[in-house]
Amino acid sequence: MRYLPSVKWDDKVHAYFEHAFGAAKFKHICQTLCKPSLRTCIRVNTQRETPEGVMQELQQLLPASQPYMHPVVNSAVILPGKGPLQPDYSLCGGREVVINRLAGESVLKGAQVYAPGLLAASPGIVAGDLVAVTVALEQKPG
């Protein structure tokens, strides 16, 4: 069974976009918005570092990565990702943490999970445990 998230729009916004893009194109846009980006764009503070220097540092930190200069924005470096990947949850031993949507967006970009984003956790988890991370998609009441 696959998890297929979807975007929920205000009815008027949905109708406007569907009219502007057409039903098929708008459906494709909505599906695409539910997937994490396969590229991370890093804007370089050129007062402190050069984009080339950032690319070299990224290649040292992430040897398998292939960062490249943005074709239009001279101060931006693109770090490509890969996917979609099928995660292997067997290593977690049933340990799981549930985080809110905002924390989930940050985790997709490599951030750590901090207490404000944590909604629930399996009992007995200690620092350093390998856990499955689940994002709870909040809904507005009513």
Side-chain angles (χ1 to χ4, degrees):
M1 185 169 133
R2 291 184 50 196
Y3 173 65
L4 299 172
S6 62
V7 178
K8 175 102 171 103
W9 301 91
D10 176 81
D11 291 338
K12 289 180 183 178
V13 173
H14 185 278
Y16 176 83
F17 282 148
E18 195 169 61
H19 176 73
F21 294 115
K25 175 95 172 163
F26 182 55
K27 181 179 178 184
H28 175 72
I29 290 170
C30 291
Q31 290 170 340
T32 302
L33 286 171
C34 292
K35 297 176 186 173
S37 173
L38 290 180
R39 290 185 289 285
T40 298
C41 182
I42 303 166
R43 190 73 183 264
V44 178
N45 180 348
T46 56
Q47 298 291 322
R48 297 180 151 200
E49 183 63 79
T50 65
E52 294 80 12
V54 169
M55 283 183 19
Q56 288 178 351
E57 192 168 339
L58 284 169
Q59 287 170 331
Q60 289 174 353
L61 291 170
L62 306 165
S65 71
Q66 297 288 324
Y68 59 93
M69 298 291 296
H70 191 282
V72 177
V73 182
N74 296 335
S75 62
V77 174
I78 306 296
L79 185 61
K82 53 185 166 178
L85 304 172
Q86 284 297 81
D88 179 8
Y89 293 113
S90 64
L91 301 172
C92 300
R95 294 180 301 271
E96 177 183 27
V97 295
V98 180
I99 59 177
N100 67 25
R101 182 186 56 82
L102 293 174
E105 291 172 4
S106 298
V107 166
L108 285 174
K109 296 295 184 182
Q112 300 292 323
V113 176
Y114 294 96
L118 186 64
L119 300 176
S122 298
I125 293 176
V126 296
D129 280 353
L130 186 62
V131 298
V133 178
T134 303
V135 178
L137 299 177
E138 300 96 319
Q139 298 286 325
K140 286 186 178 179

